[in-house]
Amino acid sequence: MEVVIVPDAQAGGEIIAEAMAALLRRKPDALLGVATGSTPLPIYEALAAKVRAGAVDASRARICQLDEYVGLPADHPESYRSTVLRQVVEPLGLTEASFMGPDGTAEDVQAACEAYDRALSGAGGVDLQLLGIGTDGHIGFNEPCSSLASRTRIKTLTEQTRIDNARFFDGDIDQVPHHVITQGIGTILEARHLVLLATGEGKADAVAQTVEGPVAAVVPASALQLHPHATVVVDEAAASKLKLADYFRHTYTNKPTWQGL
């Protein structure tokens, strides 16, 4: 696992966007897994700026979702499908044809989960999966004590996660669904490159447990320690509880330029 400490969210977004751009230069039809929420917005803004400037051609890129609310209509403004189309697909100049995600409105949710796992595999697998991290260490919607071998499935959200997400529903927790479809940890670990961005002091404990703690289902993000190519990008606040912060700064500063992110 590589840990990159940056001054702020914008710097983190730029570093990750350049890694995504480099991937698209090598593999123009790369399948990019995206996350929602406020944390990854600097990534999407930086990548869209590179596309507009002609620094990278994203016209053949493919986009896939990490998770989706169960029961929200696909065109609901806070469905993750709508969010990804608005924040990623459209700014990159792509169409819905380049996009894939689980069906949160399916009558048979389990079948929809299994179908999405098959679709990801059939698409050749995810080349780069972006991740955020919850204050309790969850990734996607894999809450604490999720199986580290789990596949795409339905999950019941914890009350804390619903409280955290109420800000996207005008602060009304009653509007936040209780259930989601999420890629499982086992599914996530199949991506070729995992990139987690965390910002703010509120994520410091979760980051420290993810990076320096034991691999444990109680901290789902700690499963990244098992991945051969996982990158954790954190701002100074989110890195504030890392015991090896100076080591991580030193190794990144002295990293060979050809190695990339």
Side-chain angles (χ1 to χ4, degrees), residues 127-140:
D127 291 294
L128 185 152
Q129 177 65 59
L130 295 176
L131 299 167
I133 187 170
T135 54
D136 58 2
H138 74 255
I139 50 174

Side-chain angles (χ1 to χ4, degrees), residues 7-141:
D8 51 38
Q10 285 65 39
E14 178 59 36
I15 285 175
I16 297 171
E18 180 52 38
M20 296 172 76
L23 170 61
L24 289 171
R25 294 181 192 115
R26 297 192 306 271
K27 186 177 181 180
D29 65 345
L31 181 57
L32 305 175
V34 296
T36 53
S38 55
T39 299
L41 290 179
I43 303 172
Y44 306 144
E45 292 165 359
L47 184 59
K50 292 178 185 296
V51 170
R52 291 193 302 270
V56 63
D57 179 4
S59 62
R60 294 173 56 194
R62 296 171 296 155
I63 306 296
C64 63
Q65 277 178 262
L66 181 61
D67 40 39
E68 181 57 276
Y69 287 116
V70 170
L72 280 189
D75 60 355
H76 188 287
E78 294 307 325
S79 76
Y80 288 146
R81 180 182 184 88
S82 292
T83 300
V84 170
L85 290 174
R86 185 171 62 247
Q87 296 180 350
V88 184
V89 174
E90 293 173 5
L92 293 182
L94 302 174
T95 67
E96 289 194 43
S98 66
F99 171 80
M100 58 191 298
D103 184 359
T105 64
E107 289 188 15
D108 188 337
V109 177
Q110 182 58 38
C113 295
E114 293 170 2
Y116 190 49
D117 250 16
R118 290 194 301 271
L120 292 173
S121 178
V126 179
D127 291 294
L128 185 152
Q129 177 65 59
L130 295 176
L131 299 167
I133 187 170
T135 54
D136 58 2
H138 74 255
I139 50 174
F141 277 116

